[in-house]
Amino acid sequence: MPQSTPLQRLKERKLVQWALAYLAGAWVLAEAADVIGGRWNLPDALYQGLFVLLGVGFFVTLVLAWYHGEQGRQRVSGPELLMVAALLVVAGAALALLPGSDDRAPPAPSQPDTGRPSIAVLPLDNFSPDPADAYFADGMQEQLVSTLAKIGGLSVRGRTSVMRYREHPKPLPEIAEELGVRYVIEGSVRITGGQVSFTAQLLDAVRDEHLWADEYDRAFSVDQVVSIHREIAGHVVGEVQAVLTPEEAARIGAEPTASTAAYEEYLRGQFRWRTRSAEDLEGAVEHFQRAIQLDPDFALAYAGLAGCYAVSTYFSGDVDPSEMFRLGENAAEEALRLSPDLAAAHAALGFLRMIGRRDWEGAEASLRQAIALDPEYAQAHHWLANYLGYTGRFEEAYAEAQEAIDLDPLNFAHNHVYATLLYAGRRFDAAKAQYRHIIDLFPDNFLGWAGLAEVNLVTGNLDEALRYRARSDALFGIDSASSATHLRMASTFHRTGTVGHLPPAFDTFGDPPDWGASSAMWVGDTATALT
């Protein structure tokens, strides 16, 4: 019997038919993956892996067709197994070389090894006989943090992160681990009869060892307060073997004002500004204005005033935003006229240019100048992260947000803006992880639960979204029925494109108006959102 030609063997084993059938099936599978992935926001690495497997599978199919195309005539052979095994090895190697998903961002960034001694100033005990003098202990802590932050050889944690240890003290090694520091300063303040008593001690928090301590009894005056901070900074530098340059020594020894009364008003203003309530922001403005009346050249008071005006539009519904932005810019510019190297004023001006005038170039320039002047100023990194997110530069925004967290790791605002940036950049897995981290740190803050609900909604997990939103509403003190209706309509809109119309009961959630607009957009009701 004459031997068949290669073309005849191809026809006999139906190699072409096998190939066409495989390609048709692969095309259907790829289209299905695209639809499902778009709905569920699957990571790119999953798509890449699928196409690698489909490509290698094509050649595996050809091998099987060659050996088994004539049904019942070919048995499994050594060459066949060898070829299939080799193709599977190729597939495994290709999958191993695929880049990982970008969505695996760390929810709780660990503190970077900067090579500099890291330190935190814990809340100072207030031993003043008058409880109303708590502002002074609070102010002394912040001023000491500010003094130490001017020393480039130290890495200083932000004040917000350490404040939780006032109400919830923990063992020093535990504090060190949570803040990512080695050294801690503890102390107390007492102000009475025009005299200040300040005690301070430096501890190695990792080893729980005492390194240094001292007491200061001075007259309550600006020069004496600055002198105390300067002396403490000098002891810290010596104990932790950091470097203090002559320029830094001059900066930490500079007196912000010659008026003790103005300085006291400034500290009172700072104390009230930190609460961010509408009432306290109004009080802070009054204190800063009195400080300026007592010393018209007090640059820090102008910077504090600018900060109050900048954030007042977020925390008070009774202010004219345009007027607040104008007053804020004027105050920041006056602060910079008096002290061109004042990082806080550059940062406030950058924030006001961003939210008040959408002056993107001016905002970025001011915020970067603030960071150049004070790399340890976490608020400037936080605002720059916001700016970069607004302008779509997400990779840069993530880096700045993480830098703010590194400097002030237990600050709610820094952690929250990082989560919202991950969400806006469509890194949903990472956003979920960051929102869970926020909930671990701040379980009673409704925003963490609300954010987790939102990211679960857009990734198709309606049941989870409803559960987390119910928890958010309970913390916020509202009935979750309207929110549940809203989420179901939003889920339907995301899945099918069917526009929903919010019920009249939902109007109660339209204050401020942008909440109502945002809610209408979620359910596809563009007309209501624009109205």
Side-chain angles (χ1 to χ4, degrees):
M1 180 177 180
Q3 189 171 356
S4 60
T5 65
L7 184 59
Q8 287 175 321
R9 290 200 295 275
L10 285 175
K11 291 180 178 179
E12 290 169 357
R13 299 173 188 193
K14 298 182 174 60
L15 209 65
V16 174
Q17 291 94 322
W18 277 60
L20 291 175
Y22 180 87
L23 291 174
W27 178 78
V28 171
L29 186 59
E31 287 297 308
D34 187 54
V35 172
I36 294 171
R39 197 69 74 192
W40 290 351
N41 297 289
L42 298 178
D44 290 341
L46 216 57
Y47 289 107
Q48 295 168 348
L50 175 63
F51 286 117
V52 166
L53 291 176
L54 288 176
V56 172
F58 177 72
F59 294 102
V60 171
T61 299
L62 294 182
V63 171
L64 294 175
W66 181 261
Y67 281 92
H68 299 277
E70 294 178 90
Q71 196 170 18
R73 293 185 56 184
Q74 286 81 22
R75 310 178 94 184
V76 176
S77 66
E80 175 191 1
L81 291 175
L82 189 60
M83 283 186 278
V84 171
L87 288 169
L88 292 176
V89 169
V90 169
L95 289 173
L97 292 174
L98 285 177
S101 168
D102 285 342
D103 286 337
R104 294 175 296 166
S110 60
Q111 303 305 321
D113 183 8
T114 62
R116 297 175 294 162
S118 52
I119 189 168
V121 181
L122 295 184
L124 301 175
D125 293 323
N126 176 36
F127 288 162
S128 301
D130 186 351
D133 288 335
Y135 81 92
F136 188 74
D138 196 73
M140 289 300 93
Q141 181 207 10
E142 174 148 328
Q143 294 306 303
L144 184 53
V145 170
S146 178
T147 298
L148 294 172
K150 294 174 183 176
I151 302 171
L154 296 175
S155 178
V156 185
R157 294 297 167 264
R159 176 188 172 281
T160 306
S161 287
V162 303
M163 289 310 294
R164 64 168 44 207
Y165 301 115
R166 170 170 284 164
E167 301 296 331
H168 305 285
K170 294 183 177 182
L172 282 182
E174 200 171 327
I175 292 175
E177 182 178 358
E178 291 182 354
L179 295 179
V181 299
R182 177 166 182 177
Y183 303 102
V184 161
I185 292 178
E186 293 181 331
S188 64
V189 173
R190 176 185 175 90
I191 178 172
T192 179
Q195 291 292 121
V196 174
S197 297
F198 197 135
T199 66
Q201 60 177 340
L202 177 67
L203 303 109
D204 185 324
V206 174
R207 297 179 179 176
D208 203 3
E209 292 181 357
H210 181 273
L211 299 178
W212 162 85
D214 207 344
E215 293 186 20
Y216 305 88
D217 290 299
R218 308 279 174 86
F220 177 29
S221 63
V222 176
D223 62 329
Q224 291 302 314
V225 169
V226 171
S227 175
I228 292 172
H229 291 152
R230 183 175 62 244
E231 290 177 38
I232 293 174
H235 285 296
V236 169
V237 166
E239 292 291 339
V240 304
Q241 299 181 343
V243 175
L244 178 65
T245 68
E247 293 80 7
E248 291 167 348
R251 282 202 298 272
I252 67 175
E255 296 176 15
T257 176
S259 170
T260 300
Y263 188 63
E264 188 173 3
E265 288 292 341
Y266 170 76
L267 293 180
R268 291 181 185 274
Q270 286 289 93
F271 182 71
R272 299 194 68 177
W273 131 272
R274 294 185 196 103
T275 70
R276 297 296 201 272
S277 72
E279 181 182 357
D280 277 325
L281 282 172
E282 290 179 12
V285 166
E286 293 173 2
H287 285 299
F288 289 135
Q289 288 175 336
R290 281 199 289 269
I292 291 168
Q293 290 170 358
L294 292 164
D295 180 2
D297 295 331
F298 194 176
L300 277 176
Y302 283 104
L305 198 58
C308 285
Y309 289 135
V311 302
S312 62
T313 56
Y314 285 90
F315 298 98
S316 175
D318 298 327
V319 298
D320 177 359
S322 298
E323 180 66 4
M324 293 299 100
F325 297 149
R326 183 186 68 80
L327 292 172
E329 282 200 57
N330 289 345
E333 288 169 352
E334 182 63 16
L336 291 174
R337 184 187 70 79
L338 294 166
S339 181
D341 292 338
L342 189 55
H346 281 287
L349 183 59
F351 183 67
L352 286 159
R353 285 173 169 172
M354 173 175 64
I355 64 170
R357 292 197 280 113
R358 299 299 188 264
D359 175 8
W360 304 119
E361 292 183 4
E364 182 173 10
S366 293
L367 290 168
R368 292 198 182 279
Q369 179 67 9
I371 292 170
L373 290 166
D374 185 359
E376 302 280 313
Y377 189 25
Q379 187 66 57
H381 291 283
H382 171 86
W383 281 339
L384 182 57
N386 274 286
Y387 160 80
L388 293 166
Y390 291 156
T391 54
R393 293 154 62 181
F394 286 108
E395 293 302 322
E396 294 176 76
Y398 302 146
E400 290 298 330
Q402 182 159 332
E403 182 67 21
I405 294 173
D406 289 343
L407 293 167
D408 204 353
L410 305 183
N411 183 302
F412 174 81
H414 299 341
N415 279 280
H416 188 257
V417 80
Y418 186 42
T420 57
L421 286 168
L422 291 168
Y423 169 76
R426 304 183 67 80
R427 291 174 64 170
F428 296 129
D429 289 345
K432 286 181 184 178
Q434 179 63 9
Y435 278 123
R436 290 192 186 99
H437 177 59
I438 291 171
I439 290 169
D440 287 341
L441 292 176
F442 309 97
D444 295 330
N445 191 304
F446 78 97
L447 286 172
W449 296 96
L452 191 55
E454 194 166 299
V455 79
N456 271 281
L457 176 66
V458 300
T459 53
N461 301 317
L462 178 59
D463 290 342
E464 291 291 280
L466 289 168
R467 182 162 65 90
Y468 293 130
R469 186 53 194 252
R471 178 60 177 155
S472 170
D473 289 348
L475 290 169
F476 194 59
I478 60 175
D479 183 6
S480 63
S482 293
S483 294
T485 301
H486 172 218
L487 288 179
R488 288 192 175 94
M489 283 192 291
S491 176
T492 300
F493 175 64
H494 278 280
R495 286 187 293 104
T496 67
T498 302
V499 175
H501 299 286
L502 296 173
F506 205 84
D507 290 344
T508 57
F509 300 95
D511 186 20
D514 61 319
W515 285 18
S518 175
S519 298
M521 284 297 296
W522 267 101
V523 301
D525 188 356
T526 308
T528 298
L530 290 173
T531 300

